[in-house]
Short mmCIF file of all heavy atoms in Angstrom, two decimals:
data_model
loop_
_atom_site.label_atom_id
_atom_site.label_comp_id
_atom_site.label_asym_id
_atom_site.label_seq_id
_atom_site.Cartn_x
_atom_site.Cartn_y
_atom_site.Cartn_z
N ALA A 1390 1.41 -7.87 7.74
CA ALA A 1390 2.33 -8.60 8.62
C ALA A 1390 2.94 -9.79 7.87
O ALA A 1390 4.14 -10.05 7.97
CB ALA A 1390 1.60 -9.08 9.88
N PHE A 1391 2.11 -10.48 7.10
CA PHE A 1391 2.57 -11.61 6.27
C PHE A 1391 3.62 -11.11 5.27
O PHE A 1391 4.68 -11.73 5.08
CB PHE A 1391 1.36 -12.21 5.57
CG PHE A 1391 1.67 -13.18 4.46
CD1 PHE A 1391 2.36 -14.36 4.70
CD2 PHE A 1391 1.23 -12.92 3.16
CE1 PHE A 1391 2.63 -15.25 3.66
CE2 PHE A 1391 1.49 -13.81 2.13
CZ PHE A 1391 2.19 -14.97 2.38
N MET A 1392 3.35 -9.98 4.63
CA MET A 1392 4.28 -9.44 3.64
C MET A 1392 5.62 -9.06 4.26
O MET A 1392 6.68 -9.36 3.71
CB MET A 1392 3.66 -8.23 2.94
CG MET A 1392 2.51 -8.59 2.02
SD MET A 1392 1.65 -7.13 1.37
CE MET A 1392 2.83 -6.60 0.12
N THR A 1393 5.57 -8.40 5.43
CA THR A 1393 6.82 -7.94 6.03
C THR A 1393 7.57 -9.08 6.72
O THR A 1393 8.78 -9.19 6.58
CB THR A 1393 6.56 -6.79 7.04
OG1 THR A 1393 5.61 -7.22 8.01
CG2 THR A 1393 6.03 -5.55 6.33
N LYS A 1394 6.84 -9.95 7.44
CA LYS A 1394 7.53 -10.98 8.22
C LYS A 1394 7.91 -12.21 7.40
O LYS A 1394 8.96 -12.80 7.61
CB LYS A 1394 6.67 -11.37 9.42
CG LYS A 1394 6.50 -10.19 10.36
CD LYS A 1394 5.90 -10.55 11.68
CE LYS A 1394 5.95 -9.41 12.68
NZ LYS A 1394 5.52 -8.11 12.12
N GLU A 1395 7.04 -12.62 6.47
CA GLU A 1395 7.29 -13.86 5.73
C GLU A 1395 7.89 -13.63 4.35
O GLU A 1395 8.63 -14.45 3.85
CB GLU A 1395 5.99 -14.66 5.55
CG GLU A 1395 5.13 -14.77 6.80
CD GLU A 1395 5.50 -15.97 7.65
OE1 GLU A 1395 5.91 -16.99 7.08
OE2 GLU A 1395 5.38 -15.86 8.88
N LEU A 1396 7.53 -12.51 3.73
CA LEU A 1396 7.94 -12.30 2.34
C LEU A 1396 9.03 -11.24 2.17
O LEU A 1396 9.42 -10.93 1.05
CB LEU A 1396 6.71 -11.93 1.48
CG LEU A 1396 5.59 -12.98 1.42
CD1 LEU A 1396 4.43 -12.46 0.58
CD2 LEU A 1396 6.11 -14.29 0.84
N GLY A 1397 9.48 -10.68 3.28
CA GLY A 1397 10.62 -9.77 3.23
C GLY A 1397 10.35 -8.37 2.69
O GLY A 1397 11.26 -7.68 2.24
N TYR A 1398 9.09 -7.93 2.74
CA TYR A 1398 8.79 -6.56 2.30
C TYR A 1398 9.23 -5.57 3.37
O TYR A 1398 8.86 -5.74 4.53
CB TYR A 1398 7.29 -6.39 2.03
CG TYR A 1398 6.82 -7.04 0.76
CD1 TYR A 1398 6.70 -8.42 0.65
CD2 TYR A 1398 6.51 -6.28 -0.36
CE1 TYR A 1398 6.28 -9.03 -0.53
CE2 TYR A 1398 6.09 -6.88 -1.55
CZ TYR A 1398 5.98 -8.25 -1.62
OH TYR A 1398 5.58 -8.84 -2.78
N PRO A 1399 10.03 -4.56 3.01
CA PRO A 1399 10.41 -3.57 4.02
C PRO A 1399 9.19 -2.74 4.43
O PRO A 1399 8.52 -2.17 3.58
CB PRO A 1399 11.43 -2.67 3.29
CG PRO A 1399 11.83 -3.44 2.06
CD PRO A 1399 10.66 -4.31 1.71
N PRO A 1400 8.89 -2.69 5.74
CA PRO A 1400 7.72 -1.92 6.19
C PRO A 1400 7.75 -0.46 5.70
O PRO A 1400 6.71 0.11 5.41
CB PRO A 1400 7.80 -1.99 7.72
CG PRO A 1400 8.62 -3.20 8.00
CD PRO A 1400 9.56 -3.36 6.86
N SER A 1401 8.94 0.09 5.58
CA SER A 1401 9.05 1.49 5.16
C SER A 1401 8.65 1.70 3.70
O SER A 1401 8.46 2.83 3.26
CB SER A 1401 10.49 1.98 5.36
OG SER A 1401 11.37 1.18 4.59
N LEU A 1402 8.51 0.60 2.94
CA LEU A 1402 8.16 0.73 1.52
C LEU A 1402 6.72 0.27 1.24
O LEU A 1402 6.34 0.04 0.10
CB LEU A 1402 9.15 -0.06 0.65
CG LEU A 1402 10.58 0.50 0.67
CD1 LEU A 1402 11.52 -0.36 -0.18
CD2 LEU A 1402 10.63 1.95 0.19
N ILE A 1403 5.92 0.15 2.30
CA ILE A 1403 4.50 -0.15 2.14
C ILE A 1403 3.71 1.03 2.69
O ILE A 1403 3.93 1.44 3.83
CB ILE A 1403 4.06 -1.43 2.90
CG1 ILE A 1403 4.91 -2.63 2.47
CG2 ILE A 1403 2.57 -1.72 2.65
CD1 ILE A 1403 4.63 -3.89 3.29
N ALA A 1404 2.81 1.57 1.90
CA ALA A 1404 1.96 2.68 2.36
C ALA A 1404 0.52 2.20 2.44
O ALA A 1404 0.01 1.62 1.49
CB ALA A 1404 2.07 3.86 1.40
N ASN A 1405 -0.12 2.42 3.57
CA ASN A 1405 -1.53 2.07 3.74
C ASN A 1405 -2.41 3.29 3.50
O ASN A 1405 -2.04 4.41 3.87
CB ASN A 1405 -1.78 1.54 5.16
CG ASN A 1405 -1.35 0.09 5.30
OD1 ASN A 1405 -1.19 -0.62 4.31
ND2 ASN A 1405 -1.17 -0.36 6.53
N GLU A 1406 -3.56 3.06 2.88
CA GLU A 1406 -4.52 4.13 2.61
C GLU A 1406 -3.87 5.25 1.81
O GLU A 1406 -3.90 6.42 2.19
CB GLU A 1406 -5.07 4.70 3.94
CG GLU A 1406 -5.94 3.74 4.68
CD GLU A 1406 -7.37 3.73 4.18
OE1 GLU A 1406 -8.04 4.75 4.25
OE2 GLU A 1406 -7.81 2.68 3.69
N MET A 1407 -3.29 4.87 0.71
CA MET A 1407 -2.57 5.80 -0.14
C MET A 1407 -3.56 6.54 -1.04
O MET A 1407 -4.31 5.90 -1.77
CB MET A 1407 -1.64 4.91 -0.97
CG MET A 1407 -0.58 5.57 -1.75
SD MET A 1407 0.47 6.58 -0.76
CE MET A 1407 0.83 7.75 -2.02
N SER A 1408 -3.56 7.85 -0.98
CA SER A 1408 -4.46 8.62 -1.85
C SER A 1408 -3.83 8.80 -3.23
O SER A 1408 -2.66 9.13 -3.34
CB SER A 1408 -4.73 10.00 -1.26
OG SER A 1408 -5.60 9.88 -0.17
N ILE A 1409 -4.63 8.55 -4.25
CA ILE A 1409 -4.16 8.78 -5.61
C ILE A 1409 -5.20 9.63 -6.33
O ILE A 1409 -6.36 9.66 -5.95
CB ILE A 1409 -3.94 7.46 -6.40
CG1 ILE A 1409 -5.24 6.65 -6.48
CG2 ILE A 1409 -2.81 6.66 -5.81
CD1 ILE A 1409 -5.19 5.51 -7.47
N SER A 1410 -4.75 10.32 -7.35
CA SER A 1410 -5.66 11.13 -8.13
C SER A 1410 -5.97 10.39 -9.43
O SER A 1410 -5.07 9.96 -10.14
CB SER A 1410 -5.01 12.48 -8.43
OG SER A 1410 -5.85 13.22 -9.28
N LEU A 1411 -7.26 10.21 -9.69
CA LEU A 1411 -7.68 9.45 -10.86
C LEU A 1411 -8.74 10.25 -11.60
O LEU A 1411 -9.83 10.48 -11.07
CB LEU A 1411 -8.25 8.11 -10.39
CG LEU A 1411 -8.42 7.00 -11.41
CD1 LEU A 1411 -7.10 6.65 -12.08
CD2 LEU A 1411 -9.00 5.76 -10.74
N ASN A 1412 -8.40 10.69 -12.80
CA ASN A 1412 -9.33 11.52 -13.59
C ASN A 1412 -9.91 12.66 -12.75
O ASN A 1412 -11.11 12.89 -12.76
CB ASN A 1412 -10.48 10.67 -14.15
CG ASN A 1412 -9.98 9.49 -14.95
OD1 ASN A 1412 -8.92 9.57 -15.58
ND2 ASN A 1412 -10.70 8.39 -14.92
N GLY A 1413 -9.05 13.30 -11.99
CA GLY A 1413 -9.50 14.45 -11.21
C GLY A 1413 -10.22 14.12 -9.92
O GLY A 1413 -10.60 15.01 -9.18
N THR A 1414 -10.42 12.84 -9.63
CA THR A 1414 -11.02 12.49 -8.34
C THR A 1414 -9.99 11.79 -7.47
O THR A 1414 -9.06 11.17 -7.97
CB THR A 1414 -12.25 11.56 -8.51
OG1 THR A 1414 -11.81 10.34 -9.10
CG2 THR A 1414 -13.33 12.19 -9.36
N SER A 1415 -10.17 11.92 -6.17
CA SER A 1415 -9.23 11.30 -5.24
C SER A 1415 -9.74 9.92 -4.86
O SER A 1415 -10.90 9.76 -4.48
CB SER A 1415 -9.11 12.19 -4.01
OG SER A 1415 -8.23 11.59 -3.10
N LYS A 1416 -8.88 8.91 -4.99
CA LYS A 1416 -9.23 7.53 -4.62
C LYS A 1416 -8.20 7.07 -3.59
O LYS A 1416 -7.10 7.61 -3.52
CB LYS A 1416 -9.16 6.60 -5.83
CG LYS A 1416 -10.10 6.99 -6.96
CD LYS A 1416 -11.50 6.51 -6.68
CE LYS A 1416 -12.41 6.79 -7.86
NZ LYS A 1416 -13.77 7.08 -7.42
N ARG A 1417 -8.58 6.04 -2.84
CA ARG A 1417 -7.65 5.50 -1.85
C ARG A 1417 -7.29 4.07 -2.20
O ARG A 1417 -8.17 3.24 -2.35
CB ARG A 1417 -8.30 5.50 -0.48
CG ARG A 1417 -8.14 6.77 0.29
CD ARG A 1417 -8.69 6.58 1.70
NE ARG A 1417 -7.86 7.15 2.73
CZ ARG A 1417 -7.67 8.44 2.89
NH1 ARG A 1417 -8.22 9.29 2.07
NH2 ARG A 1417 -6.90 8.89 3.86
N CYS A 1418 -6.00 3.79 -2.28
CA CYS A 1418 -5.54 2.40 -2.43
C CYS A 1418 -5.34 1.85 -1.02
O CYS A 1418 -4.77 2.52 -0.17
CB CYS A 1418 -4.21 2.35 -3.17
SG CYS A 1418 -4.34 2.87 -4.88
N ASP A 1419 -5.74 0.60 -0.80
CA ASP A 1419 -5.60 0.02 0.54
C ASP A 1419 -4.14 -0.07 0.95
O ASP A 1419 -3.76 0.37 2.03
CB ASP A 1419 -6.28 -1.34 0.60
CG ASP A 1419 -7.80 -1.21 0.57
OD1 ASP A 1419 -8.31 -0.11 0.86
OD2 ASP A 1419 -8.48 -2.20 0.26
N SER A 1420 -3.30 -0.66 0.10
CA SER A 1420 -1.85 -0.66 0.35
C SER A 1420 -1.14 -0.51 -0.99
O SER A 1420 -1.59 -1.06 -1.99
CB SER A 1420 -1.37 -1.96 1.01
OG SER A 1420 -1.92 -2.12 2.30
N VAL A 1421 -0.04 0.24 -0.97
CA VAL A 1421 0.81 0.35 -2.16
C VAL A 1421 2.23 -0.01 -1.72
O VAL A 1421 2.70 0.47 -0.69
CB VAL A 1421 0.78 1.79 -2.75
CG1 VAL A 1421 1.74 1.90 -3.93
CG2 VAL A 1421 -0.64 2.17 -3.17
N VAL A 1422 2.88 -0.86 -2.52
CA VAL A 1422 4.27 -1.26 -2.24
C VAL A 1422 5.17 -0.52 -3.22
O VAL A 1422 4.86 -0.43 -4.41
CB VAL A 1422 4.45 -2.78 -2.41
CG1 VAL A 1422 5.92 -3.17 -2.22
CG2 VAL A 1422 3.55 -3.54 -1.45
#
C-alpha cells in the first residue's frame, strides 16, 4: 500500500507470491516489481 499510494508504484506491476525457478527448485518471492 505504501509503494502504490506514496511511491507511485503501479499496482498492476507488482506481483505477490511470485514463483521462480532456482537451480531446478521452485521458490516464492514475496513481491516482485
